[in-house]
Amino acid sequence: MTRQALPPGTLDDTDRQLLNLLQEPLPLTAHPFAAAAAATGLAEDEAVARVARLREVGAITRFGPFLDAAAMGGAFCLCAMAVPPGRFDEVVTLVNAHPEVAHNYERQHRLNMWFVLACERPEGIARTAARIGKETGLKVHLFPKLKEFFIGFRVVA
Amino acid sequence: MKLDATDRRLLAATASGLPLTLRPFAEVGTWLGLPEAEVIARFAALQAAGIVRRIAVAPNHYAVGMVANGMSVWDVADEAAEDLGARIGALGFVSHCYLRPRSLPDWPYNLFAMIHGTSRDEVEAKRQQVAAILGPALRASDILYSTRILKKTGMRLVEGG
């Protein structure tokens, strides 16, 4: 996925309108693009072709179901460590070697390494965190979600 | 809701996305040997159960110009945190908002909100909007910008169970 803005002019107003509309839940019908096509004044096949182009140029990363990972089974936990700068690369290697580490980000803070553990069973979280703590000799802070507020975000294209 | 084998096949087959065609549910049906109406009915049931949040397009927010994002973190009085968290999560520029335990003494913050904008200045301005909503319940805050992605494998579907 590109982390850069597209060149100016890549998207026209209709493309932007489609991007904004299609972030809303798609109607679960045989012709799920019909409403967005009608709202943008396009024929249904034109709308689908535009969306396909938006995916090709990288304006869309994904079209499909968004899953609630926890509802699928499995356990997730955000973790953080304060890694001494001189040991950063060594610790990255140790942490990333665990398949349970789904993402890992360097952030500007004393707690400078933030990763998400994804395990099949809840007990896997504590076990993996303890293993990482032992291997690195660093404290692993666990930040499990207590409550999620997940409603409003839409990208304004 | 308990997923059956067909639900699992449906989710596995569409984990990387749906086909961009006029009738995507019909095409998924041909992959799996299911009638279009059954694909639709199963997605509707999964959505009603909250397993599928929604079927939609995920724009690349970097590509459309939202190139700045920061993990804002807040120490909010416990008794007010749930109500305020709901208000912060409803903001259009906040993508993920969670209540999490503090890790004292290193980490006093209990509310996490990912803020997106077109520049770091815009993210900072939005952070001020969040602070204004939190009002007197707010004791301390910080914002952490990511400097590097060290690993990103995405979510794997947990099979079986």
Side-chain angles (χ1 to χ4, degrees):
Chain A
M1 169 175 124
T2 173
R3 297 192 95 193
Q4 303 210 312
L6 294 169
T10 310
L11 308 178
D12 66 17
D13 288 347
T14 307
D15 291 328
R16 291 178 183 279
Q17 218 184 330
L18 277 173
L19 277 174
N20 291 333
L21 284 168
L22 292 172
Q23 291 177 68
E24 300 305 324
L26 203 70
L28 296 177
T29 62
H31 289 264
F33 295 105
T40 46
L42 297 170
E44 217 180 314
D45 58 344
E46 289 169 341
V48 171
R50 274 191 185 250
V51 178
R53 189 192 76 95
L54 291 171
R55 190 163 64 177
E56 270 162 40
V57 299
I60 289 174
T61 47
R62 198 166 171 280
F63 161 59
F66 286 74
L67 304 186
D68 178 342
M72 291 288 303
F76 300 85
C77 187
L78 178 67
C79 303
M81 295 197 301
V83 182
R87 291 189 57 203
F88 201 85
D89 291 346
E90 171 215 341
V91 173
V92 173
T93 307
L94 289 170
V95 170
N96 285 0
H98 291 266
E100 293 86 354
V101 175
H103 328 146
N104 189 0
Y105 285 85
E106 180 185 41
R107 294 190 180 277
Q108 283 172 324
H109 191 271
R110 202 179 74 79
L111 293 181
N112 54 356
M113 188 181 289
W114 290 78
F115 53 93
V116 172
L117 293 179
C119 298
E120 297 204 14
R121 312 238 169 270
E123 54 274 23
I125 299 289
R127 196 170 48 228
T128 309
R131 217 171 274 163
I132 290 173
K134 199 169 167 211
E135 287 168 8
T136 59
L138 299 170
K139 179 172 170 63
V140 179
H141 296 271
L142 297 179
F143 298 109
K145 74 174 180 202
L146 303 177
K147 184 108 196 184
E148 165 180 271
F149 311 101
F150 215 92
I151 347 172
F153 183 64
R154 297 290 187 267
V155 174
V156 180
Chain B
M1 175 182 179
K2 183 98 179 101
L3 298 182
D4 69 15
T6 307
D7 291 325
R8 288 187 173 276
R9 282 206 300 142
L10 179 62
L11 292 176
T14 55
S16 58
L18 287 167
L20 272 174
T21 58
L22 274 182
R23 299 179 73 167
F25 302 119
E27 186 163 335
V28 170
T30 65
W31 299 347
L32 300 173
L34 298 172
E36 180 183 34
E38 185 178 343
V39 172
I40 290 172
R42 283 182 180 270
F43 272 128
L46 290 163
Q47 196 166 292
I51 292 166
V52 170
R53 293 180 197 273
R54 64 183 197 273
I55 295 177
V57 151
N60 175 349
H61 49 85
Y62 295 101
V64 299
M66 292 179 97
V67 293
N69 61 79
M71 184 173 79
S72 70
V73 293
W74 310 84
D75 177 11
V76 178
D78 286 325
E79 59 278 11
E82 283 210 18
D83 288 345
L84 290 168
R87 290 179 59 192
I88 304 308
L91 295 169
F93 54 80
V94 169
S95 64
H96 301 75
C97 184
Y98 296 103
L99 203 56
R100 302 185 186 277
R102 300 180 180 85
S103 186
L104 298 170
D106 296 323
W107 187 261
Y109 310 110
N110 58 339
L111 189 68
F112 289 57
M114 195 63 74
I115 298 178
H116 298 263
T118 54
S119 67
R120 217 171 253 203
D121 284 348
E122 192 184 313
V123 170
E124 290 294 335
K126 289 170 168 170
R127 189 178 160 214
Q128 296 311 312
Q129 287 183 49
V130 173
I133 292 170
L134 295 175
L138 172 61
R139 293 189 289 236
S141 81
D142 200 350
I143 187 162
L144 282 67
Y145 291 100
S146 70
T147 40
R148 242 193 314 165
I149 299 177
L150 304 169
K151 184 175 185 181
K152 189 159 190 170
T153 49
M155 210 168 63
R156 292 164 306 163
L157 192 68
V158 179
E159 295 285 351

